[in-house]
Amino acid sequence: MSELISGKVFLVGDNFDTFVCPSCKIIKKLDKSKLRQIGANPIIKCVCGKRYSVEFRRGYRKQVELPCTYHCINRPVRGFGIIKDISFYGLSILCLTKIEFTFDDILKVYFELMTKSKVKIEADVEVKRIHQNKVGVEVKNWNNYEKEVWFYLL
């Protein structure tokens, strides 16, 4: 009988990352090259006995609830939604209007960071994933807002 998975951990960066067990707070250094050799969705086990599935990411994703608007660059498609998570490399958007764009379309997304200065951001993104009303996009250009986004993600 297999043990229950206690949660999911996300590893970012190049070769090594630090894992902090959510349960016991023990810190462990992980070699991602060895984990990747295991195959897709490797499982790590902490000394406290909890097990976690591992996902590899290019960068940290921050869970947010940011209202946004968007329009397609190459055709007259507009809409609005809620950004559910943000990283320096991409966004996950819950679309509140009918999705009329397709994979690989380039969108311009507008939203406001919830900071003291309420910075208004515009980004050029490429649609990479569509599942029901959830859309995953890759950021192609932050349009000179890179610094503000980096600070927001800290």
Side-chain angles (χ1 to χ4, degrees), residues 29-45:
K29 190 173 184 181
L30 299 175
D31 182 349
K32 291 195 297 188
S33 62
K34 288 182 182 176
L35 287 172
R36 282 196 171 111
Q37 289 173 358
I38 294 170
N41 302 321
I43 304 294
I44 58 174
K45 185 175 179 181

Side-chain angles (χ1 to χ4, degrees), residues 42-61:
I43 304 294
I44 58 174
K45 185 175 179 181
C46 183
V47 294
C48 72
K50 301 284 185 181
R51 294 166 36 110
Y52 300 93
S53 64
V54 176
E55 270 190 33
F56 301 100
R57 300 252 171 103
R58 283 195 321 180
Y60 167 72
R61 290 187 190 183

Side-chain angles (χ1 to χ4, degrees), residues 70-75 77 101-109 123-128 137-141:
Y70 57 83
H71 73 269
C72 195
I73 298 291
N74 53 353
R75 48 197 161 117
V77 172
F101 49 81
T102 60
F103 296 103
D104 298 327
D105 274 351
I106 303 294
L107 306 176
K108 190 163 290 271
V109 179
D124 299 329
V125 301
E126 183 176 348
V127 177
K128 292 295 186 182
V137 298
E138 179 181 341
V139 175
K140 294 298 183 184
N141 188 349

Side-chain angles (χ1 to χ4, degrees), residues 118-134:
K118 304 253 187 220
V119 178
K120 294 182 187 215
I121 303 289
E122 86 178 43
D124 299 329
V125 301
E126 183 176 348
V127 177
K128 292 295 186 182
R129 188 183 79 251
I130 301 173
H131 178 67
Q132 296 173 347
N133 62 338
K134 296 175 187 158

